[in-house]
Amino acid sequence: MALSIRKLHSSFGGEVGPIDLMKVVDEGELAEIRNAMDDYAVLVFRDQHFDNDEQAAFAERLDGQLHTKTGTATLQKNRFDNEAISDISNVDAEGHLLDANDRKRLFGLANRLWHADASFQNPAGRYSMLSARIVPPVPADTQFADMRAAYDALSDEMKARLAGLKVHHSIAYSRQRLGFALSEEEEAKLEGAYHPLIRSFPGSGRKSLYLASHASMIVDWPVPEGRMLLQELVEHATQPQFVFSHRWRVGDLVIWDNRTTMHRATAFDDKTYVRDMRRVTTLDVDRAERSKVA
Ligand code: OGA
Ligand code: MN
């Protein structure tokens, strides 16, 4: 199999030609998709009509271990039996639109801040795979930013200044930024994780900026100074030349690499239209170790 890929942006993103991912089980074909992910960082597959279990099974075939405590799952039980399925929707268990004050809705609003999935955990998220089940009749796009191109565009002085810095990521922080109230008990469970600000990829020799709405401070720096630099870097990395938008159709599966991209949801009238998406995220563990971990 040779994947046919149409570029979506000058530096990253590709739309893959007709393929049925449910039937992709062969290791050679899976390796081709992983290689394409290394090149493109975001891949769009059309007409993948997965149910939850099929989506999770594909994610396991492609990248091994699945995250089970991303996003809302950190706070509440989700509406599916499978904790690996993140519920990226604006509906309740009966499929009804969430009220304006619903906690799940307010928690999910933070997806409109630029972020990488599960950066607040260790291991963090590697691939996220978002499947569109119900799409509103108005635009409700997801935007992606190329964090390798953003790194490359930094000055040599800035690259030297950032080398070796470590960042604390916390989902409590990204939620509190919008004034979302966490109980003391919830907050106590969310201690966050530490990751390097610059990530290196030995295979390609490339580097990326590892940023997210969850990035709360730079280790050993005064908190306001760290936040100021993180804010400056997010503004740099999300300039129009590093960004493209994906307009969803039912059946789309979009896979992004959280190590080399950020993403955000865009606003739509979520009190009028249903948008039902399901996400599976894999753990950023060494692929060679996959078979060793149960
Ligand atoms: C996600 C996410 C954005 C969107 O699923 O991780 O951030 O547009 N989604 O729903
Ligand atoms: Mn996300």
Side-chain angles (χ1 to χ4, degrees), residues 111 115-117 256 258 263 279:
N111 275 348
H115 66 282
D117 293 330
W256 61 86
N258 289 292
H263 62 281
R279 193 186 85 216

Side-chain angles (χ1 to χ4, degrees), residues 38-287:
D38 284 345
D39 286 345
Y40 289 87
V42 182
L43 290 176
V44 174
F45 297 85
R46 304 284 189 182
D47 303 312
Q48 309 297 321
H49 296 282
F50 290 112
D51 66 22
N52 288 351
D53 290 343
E54 288 160 344
Q55 186 180 347
F58 172 72
E60 276 187 302
R61 289 200 295 281
L62 185 66
D63 202 34
Q65 287 181 265
L66 307 184
H67 250 302
T68 53
K69 289 198 189 70
T70 69
T72 42
T74 54
L75 293 185
Q76 63 193 49
K77 207 172 146 32
N78 75 17
R79 66 187 167 109
F80 314 119
D81 294 336
N82 188 341
E83 290 294 325
I85 305 288
S86 290
D87 182 9
I88 311 295
S89 77
N90 58 343
V91 294
D92 64 18
E94 283 76 48
H96 300 132
L97 283 168
L98 300 175
D99 291 338
N101 286 310
D102 190 285
R103 237 175 151 234
K104 176 181 156 194
R105 172 172 185 266
L106 300 178
F107 187 89
L109 281 181
N111 275 348
R112 297 185 193 170
L113 301 171
W114 284 106
H115 66 282
D117 293 330
S119 71
F120 48 85
Q121 294 180 358
N122 194 8
R126 184 160 49 216
Y127 295 161
S128 284
M129 307 180 205
L130 187 59
S131 156
R133 309 297 174 84
I134 301 174
V135 166
V138 292
D141 301 357
T142 305
Q143 296 187 310
F144 296 93
D146 182 349
M147 305 302 281
R148 293 184 294 193
Y151 175 82
D152 291 345
L154 294 171
S155 67
D156 289 344
E157 294 73 28
M158 184 59 106
K159 287 177 184 163
R161 198 169 150 220
L162 303 183
L165 295 180
K166 287 216 163 0
V167 176
H168 182 246
H169 293 250
S170 150
I171 194 168
Y173 175 66
S174 60
R175 269 49 195 172
Q176 284 159 350
R177 287 169 74 152
L178 295 185
F180 181 86
L182 289 161
S183 68
E184 266 178 45
E185 193 190 336
E186 285 168 341
E187 209 178 329
K189 283 191 253 163
L190 304 172
E191 81 259 17
Y194 296 89
H195 299 292
L197 177 55
I198 307 299
R199 306 191 55 149
S200 301
F201 301 92
S204 63
R206 294 197 69 181
K207 292 184 176 173
S208 72
L209 274 169
Y210 190 57
L211 296 167
S213 55
H214 316 299
S216 64
M217 52 194 163
I218 296 180
V219 175
D220 293 336
W221 280 34
V223 173
E225 194 179 358
R227 282 189 188 168
M228 205 58 252
L229 177 61
L230 292 166
Q231 176 66 21
E232 188 185 328
L233 291 172
V234 169
E235 282 173 19
H236 161 77
T238 57
Q239 294 175 87
Q241 68 267 33
F242 303 127
V243 171
F244 79 89
S245 290
H246 177 67
R247 176 78 35 105
W248 292 93
R249 291 188 216 150
V250 171
D252 285 355
L253 183 85
V254 178
I255 310 181
W256 61 86
D257 189 332
N258 289 292
R259 302 169 304 173
T260 53
T261 61
M262 281 202 292
H263 62 281
R264 68 172 176 185
T266 57
F268 72 103
D269 183 356
D270 69 317
K271 298 204 282 307
T272 301
Y273 302 111
V274 172
R275 181 177 188 260
D276 188 347
M277 325 271 280
R278 315 281 168 86
R279 193 186 85 216
V280 175
T281 296
T282 61
L283 295 177
D284 186 20
V285 289
D286 196 336
R287 285 211 186 94

